[in-house]
Amino acid sequence: MARAYPSDKIKSPVHLSIGQEAASVGVCAALEPEDVVFGTYRCHALYLAKGGDLKAMIAELYGKVTGCARGKGGSMHLIGTEVGMHGASAVVGTTIANAIGHAYALKYQKKNALVVSFFGDGATEEGVFGESLNFAVLKQLPIIFVCENNQYAIHTHQSRRQGKPNVCARAEAYGIPAERIEHGDVLYLYERIKALAPKVRGGGPHFLEVMTYRWQEHVGPNRDFQLGYRTEDEMHPWVENDQVDRLKHMVDGPRRAKLEEEVEEEIAAAFAFAESSPVPPAEELYADIFKESHS
Ligand SMILES: Cc1ncc(C[n+]2csc(CCOP(=O)(O)OP(=O)(O)O)c2C)c(N)n1
Ligand SMILES: [Mg+2]
């Protein structure tokens, strides 16, 4: 994506999740197919981890009709309800309330599934965050909140934005058990979700703050250390602790080489698919705007 970006064929702002993959992968690998996730505009890792289709994702970035939102959503609005990825939004914090609504429906319908709401540390400053946590605990909803704390909202560090920069303490204040995962360990996260899921399915929210780090700039394909709001030294430990690299070295050489070849082929096929797909026809302009258009 970063390589394709300068071609201007990607028709929407792109917020890369490079460096933050562990949260999506560790959580989603431990979920059941009927479990549902909601995310943010930084949603590539989440969409793929929940089983989203790579071709449909790249086509969506290109604004093509074969995209997962029929080319109308772009990078920030990936969706795949068939795999339980129920959407993402450019508007910070909004999908927390969507996730609450879905969890309430599951409870009401006595379904045995759960919802995971992913959001950034910046979203915890929105009013909807507090309202949603309160409702979740009041109704004992089957929901896991996952705050992907990369410490920045655009270019501003958490310590310069929050009077009490302790997200777990705020969740606990609402009566929700909360824990911080410092090291972003993908396997630990997987085990925690496996252990928590049965309890949450029965009803009762849980809160996880997963520490992580965004390697690229807030939006776009580059690194932005020249701006001075953060340093490369700060990123260094996270690169050392890269969970993608860690998993890679757990796979033996020949198998790894084969996997890497398959992945490269899959990526090339997805870009070729996006390139060759048509843009939505003009008559699509008013389709899918209102719910009534589906019925
Ligand atoms: C309601 C709202 N306010 C402000 C913005 C502008 N904005 C876009 S991204 C962002 C930072 C959000 O940071 P965080 O939730 O930590 O997510 P991250 O980008 O770090 O993944 C802001 C303030 C917005 N999109 N929506
Ligand atoms: Mg952030």
Side-chain angles (χ1 to χ4, degrees):
M1 280 183 269
R3 284 199 297 271
Y5 201 76
S7 70
D8 205 29
K9 288 178 178 167
I10 294 179
K11 293 299 178 197
S12 67
V14 169
H15 303 73
L16 295 172
S17 37
I18 296 172
Q20 301 195 192
E21 301 90 344
S24 296
V25 172
V27 171
C28 291
L31 298 179
E32 300 298 330
E34 62 273 20
D35 295 332
V36 160
V37 300
F38 288 83
T40 75
Y41 48 85
R42 199 178 301 288
C43 56
H44 303 163
L46 181 60
Y47 174 82
L48 292 176
K50 193 64 175 78
D53 182 73
L54 182 66
K55 282 185 173 159
M57 171 170 144
I58 305 298
E60 189 56 43
L61 267 60
Y62 274 60
K64 300 295 182 75
V65 73
T66 49
C68 60
R70 298 189 61 76
K72 292 177 181 176
S75 168
M76 299 188 284
H77 301 103
L78 301 182
I79 184 160
T81 50
E82 68 288 350
V83 293
M85 165 57 176
H86 275 241
S89 172
V91 188
V92 173
T94 43
T95 57
I96 307 176
N98 300 151
I100 289 288
H102 198 98
Y104 194 24
L106 289 177
K107 173 129 186 170
Y108 199 75
Q109 294 163 356
K110 299 193 168 41
K111 297 228 171 102
N112 195 33
L114 63 80
V115 178
V116 185
S117 170
F118 286 84
F119 47 87
D121 49 300
T124 70
E125 290 145 37
E126 296 287 350
V128 71
F129 172 76
E131 295 168 40
S132 299
L133 263 58
N134 187 52
F135 194 75
V137 78
L138 195 65
K139 299 289 179 187
Q140 287 295 293
L141 299 183
I143 186 163
I144 301 175
F145 297 99
V146 175
C147 175
E148 283 183 69
N149 188 349
N150 61 15
Q151 298 138 77
Y152 290 92
I154 312 186
H155 301 149
T156 310
H157 193 267
Q158 189 185 8
S159 58
R160 294 179 54 216
R161 307 187 327 256
Q162 299 178 6
K164 187 176 174 72
N166 184 332
V167 179
C168 284
R170 276 185 282 143
E172 280 163 352
Y174 284 95
I176 301 180
E179 62 197 278
R180 182 186 238 214
I181 298 175
E182 292 282 357
H183 37 60
D185 182 329
V186 67
L187 300 179
Y188 177 81
L189 195 52
Y190 171 83
E191 295 299 340
R192 277 308 288 143
I193 297 290
K194 275 276 176 210
L196 283 169
K199 287 183 225 161
V200 175
R201 274 181 230 288
H206 198 92
F207 195 100
L208 293 177
E209 180 186 12
V210 181
M211 300 310 289
T212 185
Y213 201 78
R214 153 170 71 71
W215 290 15
Q216 308 303 107
E217 58 195 328
H218 167 69
V219 52
N222 304 308
R223 299 253 163 104
D224 63 352
F225 295 100
Q226 78 287 358
L227 294 181
Y229 74 93
R230 60 180 191 155
T231 64
E232 277 196 82
D233 282 354
E234 187 182 272
M235 180 170 83
H236 191 67
W238 292 98
V239 175
E240 292 282 290
N241 186 38
D242 180 19
Q243 298 294 299
V244 178
D245 201 53
R246 176 184 173 204
L247 292 186
K248 174 176 155 179
H249 286 99
M250 290 169 79
V251 180
D252 67 58
R255 213 172 133 224
R256 191 198 310 165
K258 191 167 173 294
L259 271 174
E260 284 180 345
E261 200 183 307
E262 284 169 10
V263 169
E264 290 297 341
E265 277 169 19
E266 206 186 321
I267 293 169
F271 275 90
F273 176 76
E275 295 265 354
S276 63
S277 292
V279 293
E283 56 272 22
E284 279 257 338
L285 197 59
Y286 295 107
D288 303 323
I289 304 293
F290 296 107
K291 175 77 176 112
E292 288 80 359
S293 64
H294 291 289
S295 56

